[in-house]
Coordinates of all heavy atoms in Angstrom, one line a residue:
L13 N 0.8 -1.2 0.0 CA 0.0 0.0 0.0 C 0.9 1.3 0.0 O 0.7 2.2 -0.8 CB -0.9 0.0 1.2 CG -1.9 1.2 1.4 CD1 -3.0 1.1 0.4 CD2 -2.4 1.3 2.8
I14 N 1.9 1.3 0.9 CA 2.7 2.5 1.1 C 3.5 2.8 -0.2 O 3.7 3.9 -0.6 CB 3.6 2.3 2.3 CG1 2.8 2.6 3.6 CG2 4.8 3.2 2.3 CD1 3.6 2.3 4.9
I15 N 4.0 1.7 -0.9 CA 4.9 2.0 -2.0 C 4.1 2.1 -3.3 O 4.6 2.2 -4.4 CB 6.0 0.9 -2.2 CG1 5.4 -0.5 -2.4 CG2 6.9 1.0 -1.0 CD1 6.5 -1.5 -2.9
G16 N 2.7 2.0 -3.2 CA 1.9 2.2 -4.3 C 1.6 1.0 -5.3 O 1.2 1.2 -6.4
E17 N 1.9 -0.2 -4.7 CA 1.7 -1.4 -5.6 C 0.3 -2.0 -5.4 O 0.0 -2.9 -6.1 CB 2.8 -2.4 -5.3 CG 4.1 -2.0 -5.9 CD 5.2 -3.1 -5.7 OE1 4.8 -4.2 -5.1 OE2 6.3 -2.9 -6.1
A18 N -0.4 -1.5 -4.4 CA -1.8 -2.1 -4.2 C -2.7 -1.0 -3.6 O -2.3 0.0 -3.0 CB -1.7 -3.3 -3.2
E19 N -4.0 -1.3 -3.8 CA -5.0 -0.4 -3.3 C -5.4 -0.9 -1.9 O -5.2 -2.0 -1.6 CB -6.3 -0.4 -4.2 CG -6.1 0.1 -5.6 CD -5.8 1.6 -5.6 OE1 -6.4 2.4 -4.8 OE2 -4.9 2.1 -6.3
L20 N -6.0 0.0 -1.1 CA -6.3 -0.3 0.3 C -7.3 -1.5 0.3 O -7.2 -2.4 1.1 CB -6.9 0.9 1.0 CG -7.3 0.8 2.5 CD1 -6.1 0.4 3.3 CD2 -7.9 2.0 3.0
K21 N -8.3 -1.5 -0.6 CA -9.3 -2.5 -0.6 C -8.7 -3.9 -0.9 O -9.3 -4.9 -0.5 CB -10.4 -2.2 -1.6 CG -10.0 -2.2 -3.1 CD -11.2 -1.9 -4.0 CE -10.8 -1.6 -5.4 NZ -9.8 -2.4 -6.0
D22 N -7.5 -3.9 -1.5 CA -6.9 -5.2 -1.8 C -6.0 -5.7 -0.6 O -5.6 -6.9 -0.6 CB -6.0 -5.1 -3.1 CG -6.8 -4.7 -4.3 OD1 -7.9 -5.1 -4.4 OD2 -6.3 -3.9 -5.1
C23 N -5.8 -4.8 0.3 CA -4.9 -5.2 1.4 C -5.6 -5.5 2.7 O -5.1 -6.3 3.5 CB -4.0 -4.0 1.7 SG -3.0 -3.5 0.3
V24 N -6.8 -5.0 2.9 CA -7.6 -5.2 4.2 C -8.2 -6.6 4.2 O -8.8 -7.0 3.2 CB -8.6 -4.1 4.4 CG1 -9.5 -4.4 5.6 CG2 -8.0 -2.7 4.6
I25 N -8.0 -7.2 5.3 CA -8.5 -8.6 5.5 C -9.5 -8.6 6.7 O -9.2 -8.0 7.8 CB -7.3 -9.6 5.8 CG1 -6.4 -9.6 4.6 CG2 -7.9 -11.0 6.2 CD1 -5.1 -10.4 4.9
R26 N -10.6 -9.3 6.6 CA -11.5 -9.4 7.7 C -11.0 -10.6 8.6 O -10.8 -11.7 8.1 CB -12.9 -9.7 7.2 CG -14.0 -10.2 8.2 CD -14.3 -9.2 9.3 NE -14.6 -7.9 9.1 CZ -15.8 -7.3 9.2 NH1 -16.8 -8.1 9.6 NH2 -16.1 -6.1 9.0
S27 N -10.8 -10.3 9.9 CA -10.3 -11.3 10.8 C -11.5 -12.2 11.2 O -12.6 -11.9 10.9 CB -9.7 -10.7 12.0 OG -10.7 -10.3 12.9
E28 N -11.2 -13.3 11.9 CA -12.2 -14.2 12.4 C -12.9 -13.6 13.6 O -13.9 -14.2 14.1 CB -11.6 -15.5 12.8 CG -10.9 -16.3 11.7 CD -10.1 -17.4 12.3 OE1 -10.5 -18.1 13.3 OE2 -8.9 -17.6 11.8
Y29 N -12.4 -12.5 14.1 CA -12.9 -12.1 15.5 C -13.8 -10.9 15.4 O -13.4 -9.7 15.5 CB -11.7 -11.8 16.4 CG -10.8 -13.0 16.4 CD1 -9.5 -12.9 16.0 CD2 -11.3 -14.2 16.9 CE1 -8.7 -14.1 16.0 CE2 -10.5 -15.4 16.9 CZ -9.2 -15.3 16.4 OH -8.4 -16.4 16.4
G30 N -15.1 -11.2 15.1 CA -16.1 -10.1 15.1 C -15.8 -9.1 14.0 O -15.4 -9.4 12.9
T31 N -16.1 -7.9 14.4 CA -16.0 -6.8 13.4 C -14.6 -6.1 13.4 O -14.5 -4.9 13.4 CB -17.1 -5.7 13.7 OG1 -17.0 -5.4 15.1 CG2 -18.5 -6.3 13.5
V32 N -13.6 -7.0 13.3 CA -12.2 -6.5 13.2 C -11.6 -6.7 11.8 O -11.5 -7.9 11.4 CB -11.3 -7.1 14.3 CG1 -9.8 -6.5 14.2 CG2 -11.8 -6.9 15.7
D33 N -11.4 -5.7 11.1 CA -10.6 -5.8 9.8 C -9.2 -5.5 10.1 O -8.8 -4.7 11.1 CB -11.1 -4.7 8.8 CG -12.5 -5.1 8.2 OD1 -12.9 -6.3 8.4 OD2 -13.0 -4.3 7.5
V34 N -8.3 -6.1 9.3 CA -6.8 -5.9 9.6 C -6.1 -5.4 8.3 O -6.4 -6.0 7.2 CB -6.2 -7.3 10.0 CG1 -4.7 -7.1 10.3 CG2 -6.9 -7.8 11.3
L35 N -5.3 -4.4 8.5 CA -4.4 -4.0 7.4 C -3.1 -4.6 7.8 O -2.4 -4.1 8.7 CB -4.3 -2.5 7.3 CG -3.3 -1.9 6.3 CD1 -3.5 -2.5 4.9 CD2 -3.4 -0.4 6.2
P36 N -2.7 -5.8 7.2 CA -1.6 -6.6 7.8 C -0.2 -6.1 7.4 O 0.0 -5.2 6.5 CB -1.9 -8.0 7.1 CG -2.5 -7.6 5.8 CD -3.3 -6.4 6.0
S37 N 0.8 -6.7 8.0 CA 2.2 -6.3 7.8 C 3.0 -7.6 7.9 O 2.6 -8.6 8.5 CB 2.6 -5.4 8.9 OG 4.0 -5.3 9.0
N38 N 4.2 -7.6 7.2 CA 5.1 -8.6 7.4 C 6.5 -8.0 7.2 O 6.7 -6.8 7.1 CB 4.9 -9.9 6.5 CG 4.9 -9.5 5.0 OD1 5.5 -8.5 4.6 ND2 4.2 -10.3 4.3
V39 N 7.5 -8.9 7.2 CA 8.9 -8.4 7.2 C 9.3 -7.6 6.0 O 10.2 -6.8 6.0 CB 9.9 -9.7 7.3 CG1 9.9 -10.5 6.0 CG2 11.3 -9.2 7.7
N40 N 8.5 -7.6 4.9 CA 8.8 -6.8 3.7 C 8.8 -5.3 4.1 O 9.5 -4.5 3.5 CB 7.7 -7.0 2.7 CG 7.7 -8.3 2.1 OD1 8.7 -9.0 2.2 ND2 6.7 -8.8 1.4
L41 N 8.0 -4.9 5.2 CA 7.8 -3.5 5.5 C 9.1 -2.9 6.0 O 9.3 -1.7 6.0 CB 6.7 -3.4 6.6 CG 6.3 -2.0 7.1 CD1 5.8 -1.2 5.9 CD2 5.3 -2.1 8.2
A42 N 10.1 -3.8 6.4 CA 11.4 -3.3 6.9 C 12.1 -2.5 5.9 O 12.9 -1.6 6.2 CB 12.2 -4.5 7.3
G43 N 11.8 -2.7 4.6 CA 12.4 -2.0 3.5 C 11.8 -0.6 3.2 O 12.2 0.1 2.3
A44 N 10.6 -0.4 3.8 CA 9.8 0.8 3.5 C 10.6 2.1 3.7 O 10.5 3.1 2.9 CB 8.5 0.9 4.3
E45 N 11.4 2.2 4.7 CA 12.2 3.4 5.1 C 13.0 3.8 3.8 O 13.0 5.0 3.5 CB 13.1 3.1 6.2 CG 13.7 4.3 6.8 CD 13.0 4.7 8.2 OE1 12.2 3.9 8.7 OE2 13.3 5.8 8.6
I46 N 13.7 2.9 3.2 CA 14.5 3.2 2.1 C 13.7 3.6 0.8 O 14.0 4.5 0.1 CB 15.5 2.0 1.7 CG1 16.4 1.8 2.9 CG2 16.3 2.2 0.5 CD1 17.0 0.4 3.1
E47 N 12.6 2.8 0.6 CA 11.7 3.1 -0.5 C 11.1 4.5 -0.5 O 10.8 5.1 -1.5 CB 10.5 2.1 -0.5 CG 11.0 0.6 -0.6 CD 10.9 0.1 -2.0 OE1 10.7 0.8 -2.9 OE2 11.2 -1.2 -2.1
L48 N 10.9 5.0 0.7 CA 10.2 6.3 0.9 C 11.1 7.5 0.7 O 10.7 8.6 0.6 CB 9.5 6.4 2.3 CG 8.4 5.4 2.5 CD1 7.8 5.5 3.9 CD2 7.2 5.7 1.5
I49 N 12.5 7.2 0.7 CA 13.4 8.4 0.5 C 13.1 9.1 -0.8 O 12.9 8.5 -1.9 CB 14.9 7.8 0.5 CG1 15.3 7.3 1.9 CG2 15.8 9.0 0.1 CD1 16.6 6.6 1.9

C-alpha cells in the first residue's frame, strides 16, 4: 500500500474475530524506510 503497488481494498482482511478488519504487515515492511526516500 505504502509503495503504491496495491489499493487499500486489496490489502484489508476481515479477521475471524467479530468486526475487526486488519491491514496486515510482514517483514517486507522493513524496507519501506529506504523506498520512501
Side-chain angles (χ1 to χ4, degrees):
L13 180 73
I14 283 174
I15 63 166
E17 284 186 2
E19 295 294 319
L20 184 61
K21 62 178 169 48
D22 302 323
C23 302
V24 171
I25 298 170
R26 171 55 57 105
S27 78
E28 297 167 42
Y29 307 117
T31 50
V32 180
D33 286 350
V34 182
L35 178 50
S37 165
N38 58 25
V39 72
N40 294 343
L41 187 60
E45 191 103 12
I46 295 155
E47 301 263 5
L48 292 175
I49 291 170

